């Protein structure tokens, strides 16, 4: 009887990086929460330092984990079966991100279509308006909260529109970079990938400028009622995802410069491309439901 041949499946050794990543995320969550509370109350504290420490640990984790993964890939330890496992894992990760943003869009829908109209006395809630907040006017964006706090709504024109165009163009350049990789055109790959990274950095720069404008000139803050809450939570978390996507693309860029990837071994590049297209789609939805409608 001939010996049956099986495809190899590489099982890596135990890794410390998931634990290090969990510690980093814990520090980021604690630091960010305390930093927001301290900022809104005008107090000095350790929230900012804890946040910085968490980001430093996260960066350390990413460098170490990426290094190990790249070494495994370039030394031929991966197989087609492992590649399928990676694709399934990345697909589930993006699905979890879809659910993450779906929760925030759901909160926006509830506040806009249910909670605010109820406070204004719609349906059978006339007593809510008369007893709790008499004279409260239901509107969206809610620029005047029930307690009388006023702010301005962020328009869709100007920086938000520019950022939308930037991200849409970056999605096109990312696609062309992937096509160039498939066709073995390394110069075009480097060019279009570099352009995508620059567009991502440009988006983040303009978003910071938008936030500064909102805080200093419009009075639109995280504490500006439910409108300020939903605006900064949705756009802020999206900005965090754009930051992560840009970091992934930068890693891919340096790997391309070192001659990594070809049409048969490119999943890391493909995964970064999937993620970038995902954050682009989320921004289009944000632009429609947060800025325009």
């Amino acid at each position: 009887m001939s010996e049956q041949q099986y495809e190899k499946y590489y099982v890596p050794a135990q890794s410390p990086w998931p634990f290090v990543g969990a510690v980093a995320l814990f520090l980021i969550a604690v630091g960010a929460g305390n930093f927001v509370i301290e900022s809104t109350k005008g107090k000095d504290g350790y929230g900012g330092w804890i946040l910085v420490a968490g980001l430093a640990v996260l960066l350390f984790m990413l460098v170490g984990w990426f290094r190990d993964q790249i070494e495994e890939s370039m030394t031929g330890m991966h197989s087609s079966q492992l590649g399928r496992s990676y694709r399934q894992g990345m697909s589930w990760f993006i699905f979890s991100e879809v659910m993450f943003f779906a929760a925030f869009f759901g909160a926006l829908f509830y506040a806009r279509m249910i909670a605010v109209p109820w406070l204004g006395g719609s349906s059978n809630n006339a007593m809510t308006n008369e007893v709790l907040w008499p004279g409260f006017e239901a509107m969206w964006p809610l620029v005047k909260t029930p307690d009388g706090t006023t702010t301005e709504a962020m328009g869709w024109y100007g920086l938000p529109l520019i950022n939308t165009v930037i991200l849409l163009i970056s999605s096109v350049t990312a696609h062309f970079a992937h096509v160039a990789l498939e066709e073995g055109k390394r110069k075009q790959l480097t060019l279009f990938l570099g352009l995508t990274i620059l567009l991502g950095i440009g988006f983040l720069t303009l978003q910071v400028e938008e936030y500064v404008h909102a805080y200093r000139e419009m009075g639109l803050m995280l504490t500006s009622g439910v409108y300020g809450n939903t605006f900064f939570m949705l756009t802020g978390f999206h900005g965090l995802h754009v930051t992560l996507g840009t970091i992934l693309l930068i890693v891919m860029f340096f790997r391309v410069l070192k001659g990594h990837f070809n049409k048969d071994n490119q999943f890391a590049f493909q995964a970064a491309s999937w993620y970038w297209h995902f954050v682009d789609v989320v921004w289009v939805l944000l632009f429609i439901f947060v800025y325009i409608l």
Side-chain angles (χ1 to χ4, degrees), residues 190-243:
T190 305
L191 172 63
F192 284 115
L193 183 56
L195 286 175
T196 307
I197 293 170
L198 291 177
L199 289 169
I201 294 173
F203 174 89
L204 293 171
T205 302
L206 292 181
Q207 188 171 46
V208 170
E209 184 177 343
E210 178 187 353
Y211 278 11
V212 171
H213 172 69
Y215 263 74
R216 292 182 178 177
E217 301 178 26
M218 299 178 61
L220 178 58
M221 306 178 183
L222 186 62
T223 56
S224 300
V226 67
Y227 172 65
N229 294 163
T230 54
F231 175 83
F232 283 106
M233 292 296 284
L234 276 164
T235 59
F237 273 116
H238 176 266
L240 180 63
H241 284 72
V242 173
T243 302

Side-chain angles (χ1 to χ4, degrees), residues 2 17 28 54 79 141 174 183 187 239 241 255 264 277 284 291:
S2 61
W17 302 122
I28 290 173
S79 64
E183 297 177 352
K187 289 185 178 180
H241 284 72
R255 290 193 63 183
D264 298 318
H277 291 309
V284 172
Y291 289 94

Side-chain angles (χ1 to χ4, degrees), residues 99-125:
M99 293 296 101
F100 176 85
F101 279 102
F104 284 103
F105 277 110
L108 174 65
F109 173 82
Y110 181 84
R112 180 174 182 171
M113 305 301 295
I114 300 177
V116 171
W118 280 4
L119 291 176
S122 67
S123 185
N124 61 343
N125 296 280

Side-chain angles (χ1 to χ4, degrees), residues 125-136:
N125 296 280
M127 290 298 294
T128 302
N129 180 260
E130 295 175 4
V131 176
L132 295 181
W133 289 288
F136 170 71

